Each structure stands twice: as structure tokens, then as C-alpha cells.
Amino acid sequence: MIIRRGDVEIAVTGRGDVGPVVVMLHGLAGSSRELLPTADALIDSFRTLLIDQRGHGTSTRRPADLSREAFVGDVVAVIEELVPGERVRLVGQSMGAHTALLTAAARPDLVDRLVMLEGNAGGDDRPEEARRIGEYFASWPVPFADEASARSFLGDGALAVAWFNDLERTRGGLRPRFDADVMEATIAAVQADRWMEWENLATPTLAVFAENGMFTAAQKAELIRRRPGTRRADLAGGSHDAHLDAFDRWIELLRRYLNE
């Protein structure tokens, strides 16, 4: 499905046709493809809509507006067009968790409950981190000539496999479905702290952190301290991409919360 907002097309993949609606948002440089196993694990109880956020997947690759507000507007447009009059369960990972948080804050009338996997509201006061991420993606020797060269460069970790599976097959070779400069600009916008939205958020929320994720113990504690009503869960053994490398524990936790 394609939802059009001005000059931007947002691709949406649906799974299931019964039960409450769950909207899922991937992280930076990902796509809805990596959340398909999560959606399929819930298919007996939920209808799921997986969004390729702008600049990612098969949505518009180089949108002019990469503000956080633009990302939120896309999610709102998808919900209002595909499930009018309904409130959804909103699930996001990493940058997608940040988008989900801001969506719930802006439009609490659309969101019944929120799940943030490896997300935070504290921002990052190191602008060099966004540059580092952009430089990393710019260093990819694309197009990859073939699958072997792509696998060799990307490696065999859970996230690398997700990137590999999402490569676009073109006549010139295999290319990622995102551009490095767009990723840098996108994550730079995420670096501003959004404590005001977080502290005023009324939507019931589950914050999920992975044992080997990207946030420190102090950052995790600060998120809960600033909004004590938030429920927290920790995934043993998972990385920042725990939806990929701690899948069974992630699904057990997610299913239990969504079914409450």
C-alpha cells in the first residue's frame, strides 16, 4: 500500500486481518522487512501495519523534509487513512521508537498504548555521532557486484543479515535502500532531546531495553525517573537490535503487553 503526503510516498505493508491494529516502525537505515517476523508472530491476534519511514525501504528515498515532525505526520496519515476512527498500538525500535513516542505525544487520540524498543527521549549532545554514522554508510562500496561481495563486506551479524536481505537488486549491482546523507540528517534530528514530550505523555508505555543495547544504566534510569508511570522491561542477551537477535524473548514480552 502507498500513502501519499504531498511529494512523499509512504509504503505500508499489512499482516493479518483480525484483532486490534498494531503499527510498527523500524530503526535508522532499516525497513519494515526486518519487522515482518515480529508481525507474523502476532498474526493470530493482531492486524499489523508496517511502515517504511521516509528515506527508507520503498518509501520516497530523498524527501526534502527530514524533520521529526515530518516523520510523525507520515505515521498520523497512515493511521487516519487506513484505520480511520481507531486507536492503535504503536511499536517502534530505536529511531522508530523515537518517532512512535513523538506520534503518541502529538496525537494521543490515535494511540492506545506505546512500546519503545531501545528508544529514549534524552537526545545526544555529540554532533560528531551523526557525522560518524553518515560516514560509515558513505563508506559502503556500493553497488555491491554480487551477493558474495555484499555478504563479505556487511558480515554475518543479525543486523548485517537484515541489511543484506533488504538490498535492492539493480542492473548495476546490489544497493541499500537508503542514502548516507539522508541517514545522517535523519539521525541528527533525533539528537535533540524531547524530554518535554516524554514527561507530558499520557499514553501507557512499555520501555524495553536490551542487556547489550546502546543505552547506559544511567540513561535507562533517567527515562523512567522522568516519567515514573512507565513500565520497563529488560531483554537478557539482546543487542540494540533485540527484535533480531533476542527474537523469542522480544515476542514473548511484546505479546504479553499488547494482550493486556
Side-chain angles (χ1 to χ4, degrees), residues 126-193:
R126 301 169 297 166
E128 68 274 10
E129 283 301 296
R131 291 195 300 270
R132 182 186 61 79
I133 290 170
E135 289 168 356
Y136 168 66
F137 289 127
S139 75
W140 287 20
V142 295
F144 297 111
D146 51 34
E147 292 189 355
S149 60
R151 288 187 184 277
S152 176
F153 178 82
L154 294 174
D156 57 4
L159 180 58
V161 171
W163 277 334
F164 173 82
N165 289 337
D166 209 31
L167 291 173
E168 181 181 10
R169 274 64 178 170
T170 71
R171 293 183 62 183
L174 283 68
R175 297 179 178 274
R177 295 182 185 272
F178 56 82
D179 290 330
D181 61 329
V182 173
M183 296 301 98
E184 180 175 341
T186 297
I187 202 62
V190 176
Q191 288 184 315
D193 83 65

Side-chain angles (χ1 to χ4, degrees), residues 1 24 29 40 54 64 82 92 105 112 124 134 193 204 213 223 226 228 238 240 242 244:
M1 295 173 279
M24 294 188 179
D40 288 342
R54 59 174 57 206
L82 297 183
D112 176 66
D124 191 329
D193 83 65
L223 187 77
R226 285 178 176 263
H240 184 61
L244 301 175

Side-chain angles (χ1 to χ4, degrees), residues 60-225:
T60 296
R61 187 177 182 115
R62 299 189 61 81
D65 189 351
L66 292 170
S67 67
R68 294 279 70 211
E69 290 70 24
F71 280 76
V72 168
D74 295 339
V75 179
V76 169
V78 168
I79 295 171
E80 290 186 329
E81 182 160 338
L82 297 183
V83 284
E86 293 190 43
R87 300 178 78 214
V88 305
R89 291 152 167 81
L90 190 54
V91 179
Q93 184 262 338
S94 190
M95 182 268 290
H98 195 269
T99 306
L101 154 64
L102 297 181
T103 302
R107 293 295 306 272
D109 57 309
L110 298 180
V111 183
D112 176 66
R113 67 188 70 179
L114 171 66
V115 180
M116 297 167 58
L117 172 60
E118 280 286 299
N120 211 313
D124 191 329
D125 59 3
R126 301 169 297 166
E128 68 274 10
E129 283 301 296
R131 291 195 300 270
R132 182 186 61 79
I133 290 170
E135 289 168 356
Y136 168 66
F137 289 127
S139 75
W140 287 20
V142 295
F144 297 111
D146 51 34
E147 292 189 355
S149 60
R151 288 187 184 277
S152 176
F153 178 82
L154 294 174
D156 57 4
L159 180 58
V161 171
W163 277 334
F164 173 82
N165 289 337
D166 209 31
L167 291 173
E168 181 181 10
R169 274 64 178 170
T170 71
R171 293 183 62 183
L174 283 68
R175 297 179 178 274
R177 295 182 185 272
F178 56 82
D179 290 330
D181 61 329
V182 173
M183 296 301 98
E184 180 175 341
T186 297
I187 202 62
V190 176
Q191 288 184 315
D193 83 65
R194 306 304 289 251
W195 287 128
M196 183 177 70
E197 290 90 341
W198 174 249
E199 292 169 355
N200 292 325
L201 183 66
T203 305
T205 303
L206 173 66
V208 183
F209 294 107
E211 180 181 6
N212 303 310
M214 70 176 290
F215 298 107
T216 67
Q219 287 173 316
K220 298 173 188 178
E222 181 69 2
L223 187 77
I224 306 304
R225 185 191 72 78

